[in-house]
Amino acid sequence: MQIAQNSVVAFHYTLTNDAGEVLDSSEGREPLTYLHGAGNIIPGLEKELEGRQSGDKLQVTVSPEEGYGETQPALVQEVPRDAFQGVENVEPGMQFQAQTQGGPLMVTVTNIEGDTVTVDGNHPLAGQKLNFDVEIAEVREASSEEIEHGHVHGEGGHQH
Ligand code: ZN
């Protein structure tokens, strides 16, 4: 069965950056499962999986525009340490949900100098070219309920 709109796809992947460093991988885990055509995964990867089938192996390079976006300098901000009320030790690498004009945004603490904390609201993979090694494990048709919900149910999906 070929991957098309409303296919449920399970695939293994290894994600590396241009330096060849492994950023993420499904190795040793269950494959990643998603509903094709529902925007569950980044556009650049979804597009390349179209028409493929179970057992296919492919390499996909995704540009930032079709991945997690370009790095936006405006999303890097300095805030006073006082803004982290109730957090005992603010450290680089910590993630917080910030309330912004555009809604909730996950930010990562990138630097602390004195009482000034730098937070970055860019996705950690923003601005990067992403190289995926993909092996498609399974393709099946989505149920009408999955299509209605816009995500996969059962193994590797939503349990509800
Ligand atoms: Zn659901």
Side-chain angles (χ1 to χ4, degrees):
M1 186 184 165
Q2 289 191 323
I3 296 173
Q5 182 77 30
N6 297 330
S7 295
V8 170
V9 184
F11 68 98
H12 280 288
Y13 67 94
T14 296
L15 169 61
T16 51
N17 62 16
D18 272 352
E21 294 167 325
V22 175
L23 303 175
D24 192 12
S25 174
S26 65
E27 207 180 299
R29 296 189 310 213
E30 291 296 313
L32 183 71
T33 304
Y34 79 99
L35 176 62
H36 192 81
N40 292 171
I41 61 171
I42 53 173
L45 186 56
E46 186 165 54
K47 194 177 69 182
E48 292 299 321
L49 289 172
E50 179 97 22
R52 305 287 183 156
Q53 50 196 342
S54 178
D56 279 5
K57 291 181 184 181
L58 60 153
Q59 289 187 311
V60 180
T61 300
V62 178
S63 63
E65 307 90 77
E66 292 192 306
Y68 293 96
E70 297 288 356
T71 307
Q72 296 179 53
L75 293 181
V76 180
Q77 296 202 330
E78 293 187 340
V79 293
R81 192 188 277 264
D82 292 350
F84 298 86
Q85 299 250 341
V87 184
E88 248 174 60
N89 288 305
V90 180
E91 288 174 0
M94 284 178 135
Q95 293 194 311
F96 295 93
Q97 181 122 298
Q99 299 305 325
T100 72
Q101 286 176 341
L105 179 72
M106 189 62 86
V107 300
T108 306
V109 174
T110 54
N111 192 37
I112 301 168
E113 244 180 275
D115 282 332
T116 304
V117 179
T118 306
V119 295
D120 188 345
N122 288 290
H123 188 281
L125 296 176
Q128 295 202 49
K129 201 169 92 184
L130 307 171
N131 306 296
F132 289 91
D133 267 306
V134 174
E135 183 172 357
I136 298 164
E138 194 194 340
V139 182
R140 66 168 168 87
E141 270 181 62
S143 68
S144 53
E145 196 185 45
E146 287 172 322
I147 294 167
E148 195 183 311
H149 287 197
H151 56 228
V152 176
H153 291 161
E155 205 174 321
H158 284 241
Q159 315 285 341
H160 68 122

